[in-house]
């Protein structure tokens, strides 16, 4: 490879940096410099806020969101692998099998920990065994 092969990457880097710089300058120029209290107040679909929220989002909301991202990334990798399936051969099948194994193992772990259970605060997956003698 020669240095000229990296020219498209350099052009995209310059364009991206220029876009960010222009966006920041235009935002600075167009933003209000002395906003009114109405403009500083949070806007919630036309409903006037009556105060701070009484409760916080449950942690399960964030756990499900992170799991959604993890499994979306897996789908992206599977699509890329499927598009190059013939050229990767057995190495590609083995690598994807290992990757899929770890993702499924993660799903099983999260499922057993109860991160996917909603509206059931204290569900136990496994009941303790009681031995009577």
């Amino acid at each position: 490879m020669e240095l000229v092969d990296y020219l498209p990457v350099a052009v995209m880097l310059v364009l991206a940096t220029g876009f960010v710089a222009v966006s920041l300058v235009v935002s600075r120029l167009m933003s209000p410099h002395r906003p009114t209290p109405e403009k500083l107040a949070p806007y919630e679909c036309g409903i006037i806020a009556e105060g701070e929220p009484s409760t916080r989002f449950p942690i399960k909301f964030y756990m499900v969101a992170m799991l959604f991202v993890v499994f979306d990334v897996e789908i992206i990798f599977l699509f890329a692998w499927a598009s190059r399936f013939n050229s990767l051969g057995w190495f590609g099948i083995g690598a994807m099998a290992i990757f899929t194994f770890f993702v499924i193992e993660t799903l099983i772990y999260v499922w057993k920990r109860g991160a996917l259970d909603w509206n059931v605060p204290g569900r136990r997956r496994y009941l303790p065994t009681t031995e009577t003698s």
Side-chain angles (χ1 to χ4, degrees):
M1 294 193 79
E2 296 181 19
L3 191 57
V4 77
D5 293 334
Y6 291 104
L7 184 61
V9 175
V11 168
M12 287 301 295
L13 183 64
V14 168
L15 285 175
T17 306
F19 178 75
V20 168
V22 168
S23 296
L24 288 173
V25 168
V26 169
S27 173
R28 180 74 176 154
L29 292 175
M30 295 182 71
S31 66
H33 298 290
R34 283 176 269 161
T36 62
E38 289 83 17
K39 289 186 178 181
L40 291 174
Y43 181 75
E44 296 287 336
C45 302
I47 300 171
I48 298 172
E50 296 178 359
E52 293 296 317
S54 59
T55 60
R56 299 170 75 180
F57 281 112
I59 191 69
K60 290 186 178 201
F61 173 79
Y62 299 106
M63 290 294 297
V64 170
M66 286 189 290
L67 289 171
F68 181 76
V69 170
V70 166
F71 289 107
D72 272 358
V73 169
E74 179 197 15
I75 295 300
I76 292 168
F77 283 139
L78 283 172
F79 180 75
W81 170 74
S83 66
R84 302 289 302 189
F85 177 75
N86 290 332
S87 63
L88 291 175
W90 285 105
F91 172 76
I93 292 174
M96 194 50 60
I98 292 170
F99 175 73
T100 305
F101 169 76
F102 282 120
V103 171
I104 291 174
E105 184 268 335
T106 303
L107 176 64
I108 292 170
Y109 172 78
V110 168
W111 195 340
K112 284 187 178 183
R113 294 289 300 203
L116 301 177
D117 289 336
W118 284 82
N119 298 327
V120 183
R123 178 186 290 177
R124 296 184 64 125
R125 289 252 172 226
Y126 301 101
L127 297 175
T129 58
T130 56
E131 294 182 22
T132 58
S133 21

